[in-house]
């Protein structure tokens, strides 16, 4: 791999593996509101938010950091009142109890309206803030921090084509699993050390979660329950499940801790990080093995998400757990062939897990995904691999990945509509 290509990949990882506080969908909405409010120059009297179906689905049932509340209204209110767009996906990090009370009053005064926007773009946020005769518009699309329109009254301040960034990325860097593996195993170690920031951030969230009561407390249950210990035992496997799901418990419950996200998702960042962190620690791997496995995991997730898209009907846990399975396989001593087998084992196992929005029970899906990741790695190291005769798996590992992403991107669109319909018509 030449130096220029290596630098491009490092740049890509740094753009996709970034800190975020809270679930990235409502936080992206808060970011868009904060930007429109800044353009308006005063606190808006009214805020109208239009969202794509996938954005609505992922923002309805998740905790908002520092509020003890769930859902979009409080995220929107706080975005207007204390949000700073310069913080990006940490836009609400200045949240205080006083701000939450003001936000509650803002909601009670019915200043916020939320609508479904009919669009083919799965990640779409349109915000209109108004005060008197003044208005400001901000639109985010494709990527959680990607503004495509900023407007004050009728004056366009900034505008770009909806797919401009995606086209640039596609033309600039095309990944394959072989290229991901080559990068992870041959890049000078000092150029990869930045990936340890993901271990620090996500590890801290996991530890804090074990001390508190977040979500369904799945991580604490696995780690500390006597019943769980009798059933699951005390092993590297259970440590991986406990510490990964604990971080997700805290994040989905709205804990005010930053996590390192991957491809716009904190849960993906957690699932790509924690299984590798825990396995390397408990297995006694060297620092170099640990760092390279983390890089392999995170870049695999980025690679798969390139063809799947930011949001889909396919649960991101499947994608992220596939990355961590590759990292664990490396830590077990596996090479490229074993990693390919681990990927095929994952594609042949949990490829149909659907996304029904961000919420506390995502920790359960994370646990299922990570459990499958360990199994896939173990099978791969024993020379066992799902064959091309089975389901959507192909002899070519990259084609197997694209078969998976095609199902999530194209094949499950109707599933997505049904899921949202069910979620929005509960009594």
């Amino acid at each position: 791999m030449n130096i220029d290509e290596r630098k491009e990949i490092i740049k890509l990882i740094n753009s996709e593996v970034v800190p975020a506080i809270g679930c990235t969908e409502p936080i992206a909405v808060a970011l868009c509101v904060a930007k429109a409010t800044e353009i308006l120059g005063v606190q808006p009297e009214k805020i109208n938010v239009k969202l794509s179906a996938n954005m609505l689905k992922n923002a309805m049932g998740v905790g908002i950091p520092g509020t003890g509340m769930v859902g979009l209204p409080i995220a929107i209110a706080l975005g207007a009142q204390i949000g700073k767009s310069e913080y990006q996906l940490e836009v609400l990090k200045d949240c205080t109890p006083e701000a939450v009370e003001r936000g509650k009053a803002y909601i009670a005064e019915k200043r916020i309206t939320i609508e479904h926007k009919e669009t083919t773009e799965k990640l779409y946020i349109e915000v209109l803030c108004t005060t008197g005769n003044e208005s400001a518009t901000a639109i985010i699309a494709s990527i959680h921090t990607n503004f495509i329109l900023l407007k004050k009254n009728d004056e366009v301040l900034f505008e770009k084509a909806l797919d401009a960034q995606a086209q640039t990325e596609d033309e600039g860097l095309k990944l394959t699993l072989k290229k991901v593996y080559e990068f992870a195993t041959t890049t000078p170690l000092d150029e990869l050390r930045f990936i340890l920031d993901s271990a620090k951030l996500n590890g801290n969230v996991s530890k804090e979660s074990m001390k508190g009561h977040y979500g369904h407390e799945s991580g604490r249950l696995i780690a500390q329950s006597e019943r769980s210990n009798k059933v699951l035992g005390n092993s590297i496997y259970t440590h991986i499940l406990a510490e990964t799901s604990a971080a997700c418990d805290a994040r989905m419950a709205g804990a005010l801790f930053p996590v390192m996200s991957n491809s716009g998702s904190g849960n993906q960042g957690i699932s790509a990080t924690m299984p590798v962190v825990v396995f390397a620690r408990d297995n006694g791997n060297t620092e170099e093995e640990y760092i390279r496995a983390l890089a392999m995991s995170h870049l695999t997730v980025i690679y798969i998400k390139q063809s799947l898209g930011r949001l889909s009907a396919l649960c991101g846990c499947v994608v992220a757990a596939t990355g961590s399975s590759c990292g664990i396989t490396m830590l077990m001593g596996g090479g490229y062939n074993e990693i390919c087998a681990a990927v095929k084992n994952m594609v042949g196992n949990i490829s149909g897990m659907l996304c029904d929005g961000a919420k506390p029970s995502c920790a359960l899906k994370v646990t299922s995904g990570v459990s499958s990741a360990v199994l896939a790695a173990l099978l791969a190291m024993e020379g066992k691999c799902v064959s091309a005769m089975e389901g959507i798996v192909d002899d070519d590992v990259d084609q197997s990945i694209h078969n998976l992403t095609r199902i999530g991107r194209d094949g499950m669109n109707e599933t997505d509509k049904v899921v949202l319909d069910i979620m929005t018509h509960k009594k």
Side-chain angles (χ1 to χ4, degrees):
M1 179 173 291
N2 63 52
I3 293 175
D4 289 341
E5 189 172 35
R6 198 170 72 227
K7 286 181 178 179
E8 280 296 304
I9 293 176
I10 291 171
K11 181 181 176 182
L12 174 64
I13 297 173
N14 278 313
S15 70
E16 295 288 11
V17 181
V18 297
I21 296 178
C23 176
T24 44
E25 276 69 61
I27 294 303
V29 175
L31 171 63
C32 200
V33 172
K35 189 69 173 181
T37 301
E38 290 165 1
I39 293 170
L40 190 64
V42 295
Q43 282 288 304
E45 294 174 354
K46 298 284 185 181
I47 304 174
N48 176 256
V49 177
K50 296 179 180 179
L51 302 172
S52 59
N54 285 81
M55 288 298 299
L56 280 170
K57 181 182 72 174
N58 273 10
M60 287 172 58
V62 69
I64 306 303
T67 68
M69 299 174 68
V70 169
L72 281 165
I74 189 63
I76 292 168
L78 290 175
Q81 293 173 2
I82 55 97
K84 291 183 175 65
S85 64
E86 66 195 73
Y87 291 166
Q88 297 284 284
L89 294 180
E90 296 180 282
V91 63
L92 298 185
K93 70 179 181 180
D94 291 341
C95 182
T96 63
E98 294 75 19
V100 174
E101 291 306 311
R102 294 198 305 272
K104 289 178 180 177
Y106 201 87
I107 295 167
E109 292 163 2
K110 300 189 183 305
R111 296 177 180 269
I112 298 168
T113 55
I114 303 168
E115 303 175 37
H116 174 216
K117 173 81 172 184
E118 290 288 350
T119 173
T120 57
E121 185 62 39
K122 293 189 176 183
L123 197 166
Y124 183 91
I125 307 163
E126 181 178 330
V127 172
L128 174 66
C129 292
T130 57
T131 294
N133 294 323
E134 299 289 304
S135 68
T137 302
I139 298 177
I140 286 175
S142 300
I143 296 172
H144 292 80
T145 57
N146 182 44
F147 286 96
I148 64 166
L149 179 69
L150 301 174
K151 190 166 72 170
K152 176 73 178 286
N153 296 321
D154 294 326
E155 180 188 359
V156 174
L157 306 176
F158 171 81
E159 187 174 18
K160 70 176 178 179
L162 184 63
D163 59 350
Q165 182 165 343
Q167 286 177 350
T168 301
E169 288 175 355
D170 286 345
E171 291 169 3
L173 185 63
K174 291 188 180 297
L175 293 174
T176 63
L177 192 65
K178 184 71 173 179
K179 191 171 290 186
V180 170
Y181 177 75
E182 184 183 356
F183 172 84
T185 54
T186 65
T187 298
L189 197 61
D190 284 345
E191 294 182 23
L192 294 177
R193 287 188 183 278
F194 70 92
I195 206 68
L196 291 174
D197 290 343
S198 67
K200 182 179 179 181
L201 271 189
N202 295 340
N204 286 342
V205 175
S206 180
K207 289 175 186 175
E208 290 298 325
S209 182
M210 291 291 189
K211 300 174 187 176
H213 300 279
Y214 297 99
H216 297 296
E217 300 183 49
S218 54
R220 279 169 55 92
L221 169 68
I222 296 169
Q224 301 173 14
S225 162
E226 182 179 347
R227 180 178 289 110
S228 174
N229 190 259
K230 285 182 179 179
V231 174
L232 297 174
N234 182 14
S235 65
I236 297 178
Y237 172 68
T238 52
H239 298 168
I240 288 172
L241 299 187
E243 295 182 41
T244 306
S245 57
C248 184
D249 281 328
R251 179 175 177 269
M252 291 289 93
L256 197 57
F257 305 120
V259 303
M260 193 67 83
S261 65
N262 184 306
S263 304
S265 166
N267 283 349
Q268 286 171 187
I270 289 167
S271 297
T273 304
M274 292 309 299
V276 177
V277 170
V278 177
F279 188 94
R281 180 196 69 206
D282 288 7
N283 194 50
N285 288 94
T286 66
E287 182 187 52
E288 179 170 355
E289 290 168 339
Y290 171 39
I291 291 172
R292 294 192 184 283
L294 264 181
M296 182 76 208
S297 179
H298 275 288
L299 189 55
T300 299
V301 177
I302 292 168
Y303 165 43
I304 299 173
K305 291 293 287 187
Q306 280 185 333
S307 57
L308 178 63
R310 295 276 157 169
L311 301 175
S312 75
L314 183 68
C315 177
C317 299
V318 174
V319 176
T322 301
S324 62
S325 187
C326 294
I328 290 170
T329 302
M330 283 183 69
L331 292 172
M332 288 180 176
Y336 179 67
N337 289 337
E338 287 77 18
I339 286 171
C340 289
V343 170
K344 292 178 185 180
N345 291 340
M346 288 296 289
V347 172
N349 185 4
I350 56 171
S351 52
M353 186 185 289
L354 62 83
C355 172
D356 55 346
K359 60 213 174 300
S361 61
C362 283
L364 308 183
K365 294 192 177 190
V366 164
T367 306
S368 296
V370 171
S371 175
S372 297
V374 176
L375 175 61
L378 287 169
L379 287 169
M381 292 304 294
E382 293 295 326
K384 307 296 183 183
C385 178
V386 176
S387 73
M389 299 294 292
E390 303 170 73
I392 64 170
V393 172
D394 192 275
D395 283 329
D396 181 88
V397 67
D398 294 297
Q399 187 59 51
S400 295
I401 288 171
H402 293 305
N403 290 346
L404 171 69
T405 59
R406 180 186 170 196
I407 289 171
R409 185 188 63 246
D410 303 327
M412 295 175 72
N413 282 333
E414 193 61 33
T415 300
D416 229 6
K417 295 175 184 176
V418 173
V419 168
L420 184 62
D421 184 67
I422 291 171
M423 291 174 64
T424 54
H425 290 88
K426 291 180 183 179
K427 293 182 180 180

